[in-house]
Amino acid sequence: MRAYAKTDVGSKRAMNQDYMYCSENSVGSFRNLYIVADGMGGHKAGDYASKLCVERMVQSIEQSEHKTPVSMFEEAVEAANEAVYTEAQENEAYEGMGTTLVACTMQEDTLYVANIGDSRLYLLRDDEILQITDDHSLVEEMVKQGNITESEARVHPQKNIITRAVGIDESVQADFFEVEIRQDDIIMLCSDGLSNMVEDEDIEYIVKHSKSLQDAGETLVARANENGGSDNITVVLARVCA
């Protein structure tokens, strides 16, 4: 695996509430691990929620005795949700905090993905870009019902309302995906500060025409800022190698 990760506060926000984790090396029984979380809440609550979520997930995976990636992710999501929910209930400063989550690991020729909220995972292969995860958001539900188009969803005034998040309730249900991967596939995890600011076809073009993952990541963040940078921007890129 080769990977690069970058996070940026954006052009409009004073604080970065995104948090990421990028390990090309083993984490517990996983060969690698990549996570992006986008926190929400009042002053300092969102950044704490995303950081706590990621740290508890990593800790859980490091200590897990489960044998399959999905069961390990399920356990990690439960641990993260319990940690964020408990802090929100017990500390008034963190009341109402929560976070999105998208995580993946590549084992042999299979990509295992977990997601909650509207942070996304894409697969870039040859000349196409595929969104693997589904957004848990109000506008995504409106798109599925045929009330608005994908283009309208991108600029909809309620586009930031998510319908599922870590830490809001005592329990949370993640979506899980298993995807066959090939050599030279590129996996991209990102917060909505990137996906709302840069069209999918532009993401695909930038990644394809960049000389390295670092160049691609830096260009994507710069483009999101050029297009308004209205939110924190986080991107993790990983290439499948032989």
Side-chain angles (χ1 to χ4, degrees):
M1 294 303 306
R2 296 290 181 270
Y4 176 75
K6 183 177 179 66
T7 189
D8 186 85
V9 69
S11 302
K12 306 291 197 250
R13 300 292 177 90
M15 176 185 296
N16 193 343
Q17 295 187 324
D18 288 359
Y19 198 80
M20 64 186 184
Y21 183 85
C22 177
S23 178
E24 302 172 56
N25 301 314
S26 297
V27 179
S29 63
F30 282 177
R31 293 186 175 185
N32 45 68
L33 179 62
Y34 308 97
I35 309 173
V36 169
D38 179 357
M40 59 188 184
H43 183 62
K44 290 197 173 180
D47 64 324
Y48 181 55
S50 58
K51 183 174 186 289
L52 180 59
C53 171
V54 172
E55 289 178 345
R56 286 301 169 89
M57 280 200 72
V58 173
Q59 181 183 56
S60 175
I61 290 166
E62 287 175 336
Q63 299 173 354
S64 182
E65 297 181 358
H66 284 287
K67 303 302 182 184
T68 67
V70 172
S71 60
M72 290 175 68
F73 268 142
E74 286 178 329
E75 181 182 45
V77 167
E78 289 174 5
N81 189 75
E82 180 182 5
V84 177
Y85 180 78
T86 300
E87 283 283 353
Q89 296 300 307
E90 296 181 351
N91 191 324
E92 185 177 345
Y94 300 141
E95 183 179 359
M97 73 176 179
T99 181
T100 69
L101 163 71
V102 61
C104 74
T105 184
M106 290 169 244
Q107 310 291 314
E108 302 293 346
D109 59 353
T110 303
L111 174 71
Y112 296 90
V113 183
N115 91 286
I116 298 169
D118 61 355
S119 293
R120 294 179 177 180
L121 184 142
Y122 291 90
L123 170 65
L124 293 99
R125 174 180 293 163
D126 299 327
D127 294 325
E128 63 179 344
I129 178 170
L130 303 171
Q131 182 181 331
I132 302 301
T133 53
D134 294 321
D135 293 350
H136 303 137
S137 67
L138 180 61
V139 294
E140 181 63 21
E141 291 182 2
M142 295 167 70
V143 170
K144 289 180 178 178
Q145 292 168 2
N147 296 326
I148 60 174
T149 66
E150 289 282 1
S151 297
E152 291 170 336
R154 187 179 294 275
V155 296
H156 197 279
Q158 294 178 306
K159 63 183 172 61
N160 292 324
I161 298 177
I162 59 175
T163 56
R164 208 186 300 181
V166 174
I168 299 300
D169 296 309
E170 285 188 74
S171 62
V172 68
Q173 178 62 51
D175 287 348
F176 298 98
F177 304 88
E178 296 182 25
V179 182
E180 182 182 344
I181 50 176
R182 308 171 189 167
Q183 184 173 343
D184 291 327
D185 282 353
I186 295 176
I187 311 304
M188 189 185 86
L189 299 81
C190 68
S191 61
D192 67 339
L194 176 63
S195 58
N196 281 341
M197 291 289 104
V198 186
E199 298 280 355
D200 287 3
E201 54 266 34
D202 292 333
I203 292 173
E204 188 273 330
Y205 182 88
I206 289 169
V207 173
K208 179 181 177 182
H209 291 86
S210 296
K211 61 180 183 292
S212 66
L213 294 182
Q214 179 175 345
D215 183 50
E218 292 176 350
T219 303
L220 287 168
V221 169
R223 182 66 56 82
N225 275 317
E226 289 167 7
N227 291 348
S230 61
D231 201 352
N232 308 142
I233 308 156
T234 299
V235 60
V236 176
L237 293 161
R239 185 188 302 275
V240 179
C241 302

